[in-house]
Amino acid sequence: MAAMGPAAAGDQVPGAEAEPGSSPPPPPLGPLLPLQREPLYNWQATKASLKERFAFLFNSELLSDVRFVLGKGRSAAAAGGPQRIPAHRFVLAAGSAVFDAMFNGGMATTSAEIELPDVEPAAFLALLRFLYSDEVQIGPETVMTTLYTAKKYAVPALEAHCVEFLTKHLRADNAFMLLTQARLFDEPQLASLCLDTIDKSTVDAISAEGFTDIDIDRVFAKLLRLASILGSSRFYSAFSIAGIMDTLCAVLERDTLSIRESRLFGAVVRWAEAECQRQQLPVTFANKQKVLGKALSLIRFPLMTIEEFAAGPAQSGILSDREVVNLFLHFTVNPKPRVEYIDRPRCCLRGKECCINRFQQVESRWGYSGTSDRIRFTVNRRISIVGFGLYGSIHGPTDYQVNIQIIEYEKKQTLGQNDTGFSCDGTANTFRVMFKEPIEILPNICYTACATLKGPDSHYGTKGLKKVVHETPAASKTVFFFFSSPGNNNGTSIEDGQIPEIIFYT
């Protein structure tokens, strides 16, 4: 496990804090003047192992045959001038193929001083400490520059320690920042863990400051400066923007985000506003659309309710008038016009799908005249409803048009709905009709399940149950309680009617 160590100013992983029992920071690195090598007679006798003897030589002029000059150039004044770090060619070549080529390859250097303008002094010392002693001394403020340095000099063992440290400190509020850096450093395992964290805690991840400020994070900006040997700021600024756009699109493409599409759209608009300011562009509708680019097309507007679309995207100014009209038509008419946006649900649920049936017997016939079938219910635990099982025609294979809804009874608030259809085969089986997104159901709250069918007479259920218990080996019981819905409900009740099945995840 990586120990906490010296920090380089401005390279902090947000939210990470130093662990108890960490090593005290070494004295500040100042400019090293040429030193006279003081003879230390028989120092070897005080070191019992090879590791102790090499560790004693770390950052020491004793027997050194090369110096590295760091902090030279733009950052020299802020750092107190260039810093010269002594080292030993043999030790470095034994631990790194890059150093081996530098000192012993066909283009080997013979210089006694080697300038490293793109390496942070604290990170380089962390690398040397590891090569001399196997000791890992990194912390939240130095981990990214140390990872950069370990990759530059091909020391995979130190890379692994850095990634392990980042994984340990991964949380929803820094997942986007670490994801961008994992992609920058080509660390697929860390990137995958970041994406899993974003999937599970999408709302927390997009609410964090790092979601909009990610590309100007101090660590990321400093790494770009370090990599810019020639100071080509425009190139690296473009690289930064392209990298974050790639990261944003990689997240928006995922089917596994656990968030309503309307809220995701709001977060993306916030990012676009921040990006306009970073590029010193007026925060206009056209500029927000410009900086979003491909990312806008990855918002799944068809998954929103018409109310969510009308209250947000339709008034945002980011969509064209034609796109707004087409999406309104998509919400309200059948057959639906083609839209350019993805309508595939984001399935954020894991585990096994469950289903309960509230009837014990099936009969025929049940007619439809435009009135909704409704049944009220409560549940004893938090679940996510993904659809209903409905009865189909008694007259053979038939297509139905149907609108399904879940309404919170007391607030009269529609939590989810879908205008869709299904095909039946004329049997007394049920047929799946699914919502666009999972609908969260809280314990002991009354909800109304609603289905409005357009089609011929169908089968229906009888001998209904007021209480239905679903048990699985891996979970506690899920208990549904059913109540008749007041008002005109096409005759559906506890005892008889439609909406026999509720499909859900615990």
Side-chain angles (χ1 to χ4, degrees):
M1 178 54 64
M4 305 297 288
D11 280 339
Q12 189 169 6
V13 177
E17 298 179 354
E19 297 173 339
S22 60
S23 303
L29 295 173
L32 297 177
L33 301 176
L35 298 178
Q36 297 296 324
R37 295 179 181 172
E38 296 290 340
L40 296 175
Y41 178 73
N42 203 23
W43 63 268
Q44 298 87 344
T46 65
K47 312 300 174 188
S49 67
L50 181 65
K51 179 179 179 180
E52 288 183 38
R53 290 191 287 276
F54 274 90
F56 182 75
L57 296 176
F58 163 67
N59 197 21
S60 169
E61 291 284 340
L62 184 65
L63 303 179
S64 68
D65 53 4
V66 66
R67 279 187 175 190
F68 292 92
V69 182
L70 296 94
K72 189 174 182 179
R74 290 178 299 175
S75 61
Q83 301 181 33
R84 290 172 170 81
I85 299 174
H88 307 77
R89 295 171 187 252
F90 170 75
V91 177
L92 303 191
S96 160
V98 175
F99 283 126
D100 190 18
M102 182 185 295
F103 300 133
N104 304 311
M107 302 289 289
T109 180
T110 57
S111 174
E113 283 199 344
I114 299 172
E115 293 186 4
L116 302 179
D118 64 325
V119 178
E120 183 76 7
F124 191 68
L125 281 172
L127 173 74
L128 295 189
R129 185 185 300 275
F130 183 75
L131 294 180
Y132 278 79
S133 66
D134 286 335
E135 182 182 345
V136 179
Q137 195 172 79
I138 55 177
E141 297 180 342
T142 60
V143 60
M144 294 311 305
T145 48
T146 303
L147 177 58
Y148 168 82
T149 307
K151 282 186 170 289
K152 176 180 174 69
Y153 292 103
V155 184
L158 183 56
E159 288 180 41
H161 283 291
C162 292
V163 172
E164 180 185 8
F165 182 92
L166 290 169
T167 300
K168 178 181 176 183
H169 289 85
L170 172 62
R171 298 192 310 272
D173 61 1
N174 63 17
F176 271 103
M177 187 205 70
L178 292 183
L179 173 61
T180 300
Q181 293 167 345
R183 290 164 61 86
L184 172 67
F185 288 118
D186 191 25
E187 290 290 345
Q189 183 179 3
L190 178 59
S192 178
L193 290 171
C194 290
L195 288 169
D196 286 344
T197 299
I198 292 169
D199 284 345
K200 294 173 185 176
S201 305
T202 312
V203 173
D204 291 337
I206 68 166
S207 300
E209 184 179 349
F211 176 73
T212 55
D213 292 343
I214 182 172
D215 65 328
I216 58 167
D217 180 85
R218 289 177 297 172
V219 180
F220 194 71
K222 192 161 190 175
L223 287 171
L224 293 173
R225 290 197 303 271
L226 290 171
S228 178
I229 298 176
L230 300 177
S232 181
S233 58
R234 285 185 298 175
F235 170 80
Y236 283 95
S237 175
F239 174 78
S240 171
I241 293 167
I244 185 60
M245 279 301 299
D246 286 346
T247 301
L248 182 63
C249 290
V251 172
L252 295 179
E253 287 171 347
R254 293 177 70 77
D255 291 335
T256 45
L257 300 180
S258 52
I259 188 172
R260 293 193 68 80
E261 210 68 22
S262 57
R263 190 161 186 176
L264 187 62
F265 174 77
V268 169
V269 171
R270 290 200 329 271
W271 183 90
E273 291 169 350
E275 184 59 31
C276 285
Q277 293 173 351
R278 286 190 286 269
Q279 295 190 37
Q280 298 183 337
L281 297 172
V283 184
T284 64
F285 299 146
N287 285 335
K288 285 189 282 188
Q289 188 179 56
K290 175 184 175 182
V291 299
L292 281 172
K294 177 188 173 184
L296 183 61
S297 68
L298 299 176
I299 299 295
R300 304 184 185 187
F301 295 104
L303 300 185
M304 299 180 187
T305 66
I306 189 171
E307 294 83 6
E308 289 172 335
F309 180 75
Q315 300 183 49
S316 69
I318 294 178
L319 298 175
S320 69
D321 291 344
R322 181 176 179 180
E323 288 173 315
V324 171
V325 170
N326 283 346
L327 283 163
F328 270 123
L329 291 174
H330 178 84
F331 290 124
T332 55
V333 303
N334 282 305
K336 298 183 182 301
R338 182 176 179 273
V339 292
E340 299 298 323
Y341 296 98
I342 302 167
D343 61 0
R344 184 175 65 253
R346 297 189 192 269
C347 182
C348 60
L349 301 171
R350 294 166 174 81
K352 186 177 180 180
E353 181 182 282
C354 306
C355 181
I356 56 102
N357 192 320
R358 66 189 187 93
F359 294 122
Q360 302 177 77
Q361 188 172 316
V362 182
E363 299 287 350
S364 55
R365 91 186 20 200
W366 199 260
Y368 305 98
S369 59
T371 302
S372 300
D373 289 271
R374 298 169 181 261
I375 189 72
R376 291 187 298 151
F377 67 93
T378 62
V379 190
N380 70 322
R381 60 183 301 187
R382 185 191 298 262
I383 64 170
S384 292
I385 290 180
V386 294
F388 300 149
L390 301 179
Y391 291 120
S393 173
I394 60 174
H395 302 296
T398 308
D399 293 335
Y400 283 84
Q401 290 182 17
V402 60
N403 172 276
I404 56 173
Q405 298 182 44
I406 294 285
I407 302 168
E408 188 172 336
Y409 178 71
E410 294 293 339
K411 296 181 179 179
K412 295 180 172 56
Q413 178 183 358
T414 300
L415 303 181
Q417 66 91 31
N418 193 15
D419 282 304
T420 182
F422 69 95
S423 298
C424 62
D425 58 9
T427 67
N429 295 329
T430 57
F431 300 91
R432 292 162 61 93
V433 183
M434 310 303 283
F435 289 100
K436 296 177 180 179
E437 292 182 303
I439 301 169
E440 184 180 54
I441 301 297
L442 301 177
N444 306 316
I445 302 293
C446 190
Y447 299 90
T448 301
C450 177
T452 309
L453 284 83
K454 184 178 180 181
D457 293 350
S458 73
H459 295 88
Y460 71 96
T462 64
K463 297 185 178 180
L465 301 170
K466 292 184 178 180
K467 177 181 176 181
V468 180
V469 179
H470 185 276
E471 297 187 59
T472 58
S476 58
K477 295 179 181 179
T478 304
V479 184
F480 286 79
F481 297 93
F482 291 97
F483 312 90
S484 293
S485 182
N488 191 351
N489 53 26
N490 201 42
T492 286
S493 65
I494 297 172
E495 293 80 15
D496 306 291
Q498 257 285 17
I499 318 181
E501 293 180 343
I502 294 179
I503 305 167
F504 66 98
Y505 285 77
T506 55

